[in-house]
Amino acid sequence: MRLLDPSGLEALRVALAGAPAPKRRLWVCGGPGCLASGAAKIQAALAAEVKAKGLGDGVGLRTDLTGCLGLCEMGPMVGVEPEGYLYGNVTVEDCRELVSETLLAGLPVGRLLANPDNPTRSEQPFYQSQTQLITKRFGKTIPGSIEDYLKTGGYAALGLAISKLGPLGVAERVEASGLRGRGGGGFPAGRKWASCRLAPGTAKYVLANGDEGDPGAFMNRSLMEGDPFSIIEGMTLGAYAVGASRGFIYVRHEYPISVERLDGAIKEAEKMGLLGHNILGSGFSFNLSTVEGGGAFVCGESTALMASIEGREGQPRVKYVRSTEKGLWDCPTLLQNVETWANVPIIVERGPEWFKSKGTKDNPGTKVFCLVGQVKYSGLIEMPLGSPIRTLVFGVGGGTKPGRRFKAVQIGGPSGGCLPYSALDLPLDFDSLSKAGAIMGSGGLIVMDDISCVVDVARYFTGFLMGESCGKCAPCREGLTLIYRILDDLCQGRGREGDSAVLEKLATNLARTALCGLGQSAGNPLLSTMRHFGEEYLEHELEGFCRSGRCQGLFWPDINPNLCVGCGSCLAACPTRVISGQKKEPHRIDLTGCVSCGSCIAICRFGAAKAIRKGGSQAARQADHQADLADPSKDAPKTNNIPTPQSVTKDPTQPAPKGGGQAGA
Amino acid sequence: MSQAITKVTGTIDGRGFSVPIGTTLLEAAKSLGLTIPTLCHHPGLPADGNCRLCLVETGGKLVASCLFPLRTDGEAILTQSPMVLEARAFTVRLLLSRAPEDPRLLELAREYGTGPDPRLADGADGCLRCGLCVRACRASGTEAIALVGRGRERKVTGPFFEPPIDCVGCLACARVCPTGFIDFSELPRSIWGRDFDLRPCPQCGRPVGTPEELRRAGVENPLCPSCRRLSYSRSLMGLPEASFSNPGER
């Protein structure tokens, strides 16, 4: 059916909203992590079970894949509508029970509940602090279904724009909303729109950046796969406002499902007359297609992205003229992150004032974050901008894992910055973060605990960026290699006096001289860890000591008898079998034969195994043991919430690592 | 349009300039007789801004002068500020790791008080990855070579790391190379691991160019530049076509 005018759209929306909803549905999470751990198989098994039982649409019972349910730590997840139960770690074997108990009878299956204390989603702290605007359809709609999108308020904004607002009205709403680009820099979207709208030229383009390449980030992917129509509607509104008739969504090569979903959604929208020629009879035409990236991190940079769409090698170019004036094929181009686009329909429909009521004055709206790393509940989280980091890490994420202390959080991906404990009350917004030496980036938060070594972390991120450096400009190509090598030397105990100072100078000059934004920010992990954990760099450099027990050979492991409960984990983990001790008695390490691998430190859930200086005195060691006890437990549960030895083998908060890797990065 | 709109004014190291809008900072500096060091820049080829040696300071930031267009009045540019000098020393040191024996780089290293970093010694092959050769090849319409690979693995090569099949042996790449990295021989003609024939001038017999190169230029059997000049001036003077073939007579 092709919609011919805004009133036809409105009539369809009303009809769809009034259509009877299924009596009960099982929503299988189709987010990246859950899919990787077998969500599609679970959905198929559920559907087969429904069919076998002779239940179908006629009875109003359904099972479908939906967008990311967020609590990736517990994947694969299944949500129940309307009761709201949330199941975690579901397996194919559980499907029979899910259908007979929950789908048919509406009863919860206790052993599968993600949180037995709070069986429903709305009761869980993980969801309570969130404000879901962008992710509001996750768990409520079938991502590729335009009916579901229309039913949940979709295309209301486009109808309003064409029937009432007009192009200028749309642009004004976006400008008045104060929306800032969600891709990293937080550039005011309204300014970009105005610049592109006013740029001379008949051929203009709108682009969406879906080239998400940060390790541990999957918010753009979840959005493209969970609510593709919101991006498409946003881009249609953008094209309408600035006068573009062609658009591209640039999607990372590694996201084939995103490409498939977006392509499918584009086709659906075209069929309905919501994309293509003469949209809703307005005379405005807009064609949209996806472009699959070539697999380079650097293509997320705006000029490299455009080069890649043009069919050239994805490399940045020097940008002294904005792409809103001279972008794709030298035409005025409006490029926004997919999440920014998804905000546009909300703003246009609800108005700038409503949008500004979320978030803070200078940072209105929400942001989707990916919380990963050493945190209890990793996942996809949408919060109002300006929420304190603490709320995310400890409120929603549940804090660090048992026996571990929070050390730092890396915000904004590999070229973001590392913030320490003292920065936890910082509001998560563009300005506060950049003032603190981090960036919002695309919104990735990687939590590190006390066994993460900052030098090793800086080496990891620098190594990632070195491997992804396109090699065009000398500072990034050669400079990052040099920085990496010095960091590697430090981690391997080959540090030389003065290395820290050399590193700082290199990173500072790299930031000033590199050609593109990626090169300029590539020194951030190093500079920010150095700023907040400078003493650890000096320990590596001058003493060859790694206090985190991470850099092999730069420490001896030591077990604090006051904290050891004798659970035997370290004994089992030790590759050279130098740990001894009876169950429930403090264990001991015989350092002759110890290879200083840190396995015991990494596995200890009680904070008893620790790295100590090689050649340190016995007195210093004992003082250390005492200090450990006296140390106020920096949010890491030390006295309360400590798992008992019995619970070590099976701890509900510690599910076995599942495949996927994204969330577990 | 009045002159006030088409010209842009500002200062470089305190000296005033007034140049047409869109002039690059490097050109403006040149017009004042100021030298900004460059490596990947060639006046006959499109600028790329990749060597980062020509960075100068404006508004507290560094910009690549070979590409920065002067568009607003009142820009106060510094080419010798501490930030600029530090950045140049940093860049020279990194570039030097690729071509530690290049005289031009060595002189720059002396000027900015730096030297090669021993931790980068393994990359010293003599190529700066400035891409001038690639740009020259593209500008001449051939595109036989390209910079291939990412990061430090990046290097100039033909497709599939083989001798470039589209190379016409014109040597333009070797002529613009700032470090003399590209191996070539003029007579007999060879470059990039390929040997080329040379077509002689039909009049004097001296080599004019490779057949591939001449075909690209759309001429099959041209005179050499000297004979062409001679033939042209004779025709201007109304003299008959030269009939001699002895090069000594020219």
Side-chain angles (χ1 to χ4, degrees):
Chain A
M1 183 178 97
R2 201 184 148 83
L3 298 166
L4 298 174
D5 50 41
S7 57
L9 169 68
E10 197 48 42
L12 176 65
R13 284 174 15 86
V14 171
L16 282 171
K23 193 175 135 216
R24 194 170 291 115
R25 308 180 79 147
L26 290 181
W27 289 112
V28 183
C29 173
C34 290
L35 273 186
S37 51
K41 274 191 200 138
I42 288 164
Q43 200 272 327
L46 285 172
E49 181 66 20
V50 167
K51 210 174 165 196
K53 284 242 162 80
L55 312 164
D57 272 354
V59 214
L61 303 177
R62 289 187 60 111
T63 73
D64 290 290
L65 278 173
T66 184
C68 182
L69 291 178
L71 192 51
C72 306
E73 187 76 44
M74 308 289 284
M77 302 202 73
V78 174
V80 183
E81 199 175 286
E83 282 83 356
Y85 306 134
L86 206 58
Y87 297 123
N89 298 320
V90 178
T91 61
V92 173
E93 288 73 44
D94 300 326
C95 290
R96 184 172 291 242
E97 198 177 344
L98 281 181
V99 170
S100 61
E101 292 294 306
T102 303
L103 188 62
L104 264 179
L107 301 169
V109 180
R111 65 183 177 88
L112 291 174
L113 287 172
N115 187 337
D117 303 331
N118 308 305
T120 70
R121 182 179 155 134
S122 52
E123 291 168 328
Q124 295 191 13
F126 184 84
Y127 295 99
Q128 276 170 344
S129 338
Q130 296 195 45
T131 303
Q132 295 191 297
L133 297 183
I134 305 298
T135 58
K136 65 173 178 238
R137 291 191 179 86
F138 294 9
K140 298 195 176 69
T141 64
I142 303 172
S145 156
I146 198 162
E147 285 85 15
D148 276 14
Y149 184 69
L150 288 164
K151 214 189 293 183
T152 47
Y155 279 111
L158 188 67
L160 182 70
I162 286 176
S163 61
K164 290 215 181 75
L165 300 176
L168 197 61
V170 173
E172 277 168 0
R173 284 204 169 192
V174 171
E175 185 149 13
S177 75
L179 173 68
R180 298 177 67 167
R182 299 296 195 242
F187 190 81
R191 285 233 303 271
K192 227 179 193 179
W193 286 42
S195 162
C196 185
R197 191 167 53 82
L198 299 172
T202 45
K204 292 182 185 176
Y205 295 97
V206 291
L207 306 179
N209 187 346
D211 191 62
E212 178 179 59
D214 295 358
F218 50 97
M219 49 292 221
N220 290 353
R221 176 178 181 169
S222 301
L223 185 60
M224 290 186 282
E225 294 175 8
D227 196 3
F229 287 107
S230 66
I231 301 166
I232 295 171
E233 188 186 355
M235 291 182 78
T236 312
L237 287 163
Y240 182 63
V242 302
S245 55
R246 189 82 180 87
F248 298 98
I249 310 175
Y250 189 87
V251 189
R252 190 181 179 202
H253 170 71
E254 290 86 344
Y255 287 177
I257 304 173
S258 301
V259 176
E260 196 188 305
R261 281 258 160 98
L262 284 166
D263 280 342
I266 289 171
K267 271 210 193 94
E268 287 289 307
E270 280 170 351
K271 256 191 251 161
M272 302 278 272
L274 294 165
L275 261 185
H277 182 65
N278 194 10
I279 294 170
L280 295 178
S282 62
F284 157 65
S285 301
F286 179 56
N287 286 301
L288 185 62
S289 37
T290 55
V291 176
E292 206 173 316
F297 181 72
V298 73
C299 286
E301 198 274 345
S302 64
T303 56
L305 183 148
M306 289 176 204
S308 181
I309 294 180
E310 288 171 15
R312 294 185 286 118
E313 186 185 7
Q315 275 201 337
R317 62 176 168 81
V318 179
K319 183 166 77 168
Y320 295 127
V321 180
R322 289 194 187 287
S323 49
T324 46
E325 285 175 52
K326 221 174 149 186
L328 189 66
W329 288 298
D330 283 346
C331 296
T333 303
L334 180 58
L335 168 68
Q336 305 262 309
N337 179 271
V338 287
E339 192 185 331
T340 319
W341 284 123
N343 271 295
V344 172
I346 300 170
I347 293 167
V348 172
E349 188 199 344
R350 305 233 178 161
E353 290 314 314
W354 182 87
F355 185 73
K356 272 156 70 180
S357 70
K358 314 278 167 198
T360 64
K361 185 171 160 282
D362 294 325
N363 292 268
T366 60
K367 175 83 193 79
V368 184
F369 297 100
C370 282
L371 185 65
V372 297
Q374 303 307 316
V375 64
K376 264 195 214 147
Y377 303 112
S378 59
L380 187 82
I381 294 156
E382 185 175 356
M383 302 275 284
L385 280 166
S387 311
I389 303 175
R390 188 188 296 277
T391 313
L392 230 89
V393 175
F394 290 96
V396 180
T400 47
K401 294 187 175 176
R404 293 274 160 254
R405 286 160 207 229
F406 175 90
K407 181 170 194 172
V409 56
Q410 168 87 9
I411 299 184
S415 40
C418 230
L419 296 177
Y421 183 81
S422 58
L424 271 180
D425 292 313
L426 211 66
L428 273 163
D429 64 53
F430 294 101
D431 309 311
S432 313
L433 286 180
S434 62
K435 247 182 250 155
I439 54 170
M440 178 72 81
S442 50
L445 274 86
I446 303 175
V447 177
M448 292 173 246
D449 58 19
D450 50 356
I451 55 164
S452 309
C453 164
V454 288
V455 185
D456 178 60
V457 164
R459 175 177 69 162
Y460 169 77
F461 286 123
T462 308
F464 174 84
L465 293 164
M466 177 180 77
E468 293 293 344
S469 163
C470 76
K472 178 169 177 170
C473 76
C476 180
R477 183 183 64 229
E478 315 290 342
L480 269 184
T481 307
L482 183 55
I483 291 176
Y484 178 82
R485 288 185 179 176
I486 297 175
L487 285 170
D488 191 45
D489 280 353
L490 287 176
C491 289
Q492 308 230 21
R494 292 192 303 257
R496 305 173 201 185
E497 208 175 322
D499 272 353
S500 304
V502 169
L503 280 173
E504 193 176 355
K505 217 168 163 186
L506 283 172
T508 310
N509 275 305
L510 174 64
R512 288 180 189 157
T513 58
L515 190 152
C516 77
L518 291 182
Q520 286 158 12
S521 59
N524 279 355
L526 166 67
L527 286 173
S528 62
T529 48
M530 203 174 250
R531 187 195 301 178
H532 300 297
F533 303 94
E535 71 276 25
E536 289 193 38
Y537 277 87
L538 288 175
E539 281 167 3
H540 279 75
E541 174 189 323
L542 303 172
E543 301 176 63
F545 171 55
C546 174
R547 63 162 80 173
S548 315
R550 183 90 191 174
C551 301
Q552 193 177 359
L554 302 194
F555 63 91
W556 284 131
D558 178 46
I559 293 173
N560 186 343
N562 302 327
L563 291 173
C564 179
V565 299
C567 71
S569 312
C570 56
L571 195 143
C574 178
T576 52
R577 304 249 172 269
V578 294
I579 300 179
S580 56
Q582 297 296 313
K583 274 260 173 209
K584 300 192 188 179
E585 296 287 324
H587 287 23
R588 282 189 317 108
I589 303 177
D590 176 12
L591 290 180
T592 48
C594 173
V595 291
S596 159
C597 68
S599 302
C600 47
I601 298 171
I603 205 148
C604 181
R605 315 244 326 259
F606 306 92
K610 234 186 106 176
I612 56 167
R613 279 180 171 78
K614 283 185 162 178
S617 72
Q618 191 64 27
R621 212 172 124 194
Q622 263 157 18
D624 208 32
H625 289 167
Q626 287 308 315
D628 251 2
L629 280 180
D631 195 359
S633 61
K634 290 185 170 177
D635 279 307
K638 203 116 201 249
T639 48
N640 48 13
N641 235 351
I642 285 190
T644 57
Q646 287 76 26
S647 73
V648 166
T649 41
K650 200 176 181 313
D651 183 345
T653 60
Q654 282 276 90
K658 293 269 172 180
Q662 290 260 28
Chain B
M1 250 187 254
S2 71
Q3 201 175 22
I5 294 170
T6 52
K7 289 266 183 177
V8 59
T9 58
T11 62
I12 302 180
D13 294 343
R15 293 171 55 185
F17 66 81
S18 170
V19 291
I21 278 189
T23 305
T24 66
L25 213 160
L26 186 65
E27 285 164 30
K30 242 179 221 165
S31 74
L32 292 178
L34 295 166
T35 320
I36 295 173
T38 59
L39 274 175
C40 74
H41 182 259
H42 187 287
L45 294 171
D48 199 39
N50 68 56
C51 77
R52 316 308 283 168
L53 202 58
C54 71
L55 294 182
V56 294
E57 185 179 339
T58 173
K61 273 187 177 168
L62 296 179
V63 296
S65 54
C66 66
L67 278 162
F68 188 82
L70 293 163
R71 306 209 298 176
T72 46
D73 278 330
E75 206 98 53
I77 295 138
L78 301 170
T79 73
Q80 301 287 331
S81 72
M83 200 207 281
V84 171
L85 297 182
E86 191 183 329
R88 272 186 210 157
F90 164 78
T91 310
V92 168
R93 186 175 174 84
L94 294 177
L95 287 168
L96 206 55
S97 73
R98 288 295 192 175
E101 283 156 26
D102 182 59
R104 221 164 114 196
L105 270 175
L106 284 171
E107 202 189 307
L108 284 167
R110 260 195 305 279
E111 191 178 339
Y112 296 107
T114 186
D117 195 297
R119 294 196 240 209
L120 284 177
D122 60 325
D125 57 6
C127 173
L128 299 177
R129 277 78 181 159
C130 69
L132 267 178
C133 50
V134 176
R135 278 178 278 157
C137 192
R138 185 179 300 153
S140 69
T142 308
E143 293 206 61
I145 50 171
L147 277 159
V148 174
R150 266 190 217 169
R152 214 153 179 263
E153 307 298 312
R154 191 168 169 79
K155 63 175 192 173
V156 180
T157 169
F160 308 108
F161 303 99
E162 286 169 1
I165 48 164
D166 286 334
C167 177
V168 297
C170 70
L171 307 188
C173 52
R175 306 248 191 253
V176 294
C177 178
T179 59
F181 163 73
I182 300 170
D183 244 354
F184 73 99
S185 148
E186 184 134 22
L187 273 174
R189 183 67 56 93
S190 68
I191 191 165
W192 296 113
R194 285 188 56 192
D195 298 325
F196 292 90
D197 290 336
L198 283 170
R199 194 154 282 172
C201 170
Q203 282 203 359
C204 66
R206 293 202 318 175
V208 184
T210 69
E212 293 88 347
E213 183 185 7
L214 297 175
R215 205 170 305 131
R216 187 190 64 192
V219 284
E220 280 298 319
N221 224 3
L223 299 172
C224 73
S226 331
C227 293
R228 196 166 60 238
R229 268 199 300 278
L230 193 63
S231 146
Y232 184 58
S233 38
R234 285 180 80 96
S235 74
L236 282 181
M237 290 153 75
L239 296 170
E241 276 292 299
S243 57
F244 53 82
S245 60
N246 181 358
E249 234 179 284
R250 284 177 302 128

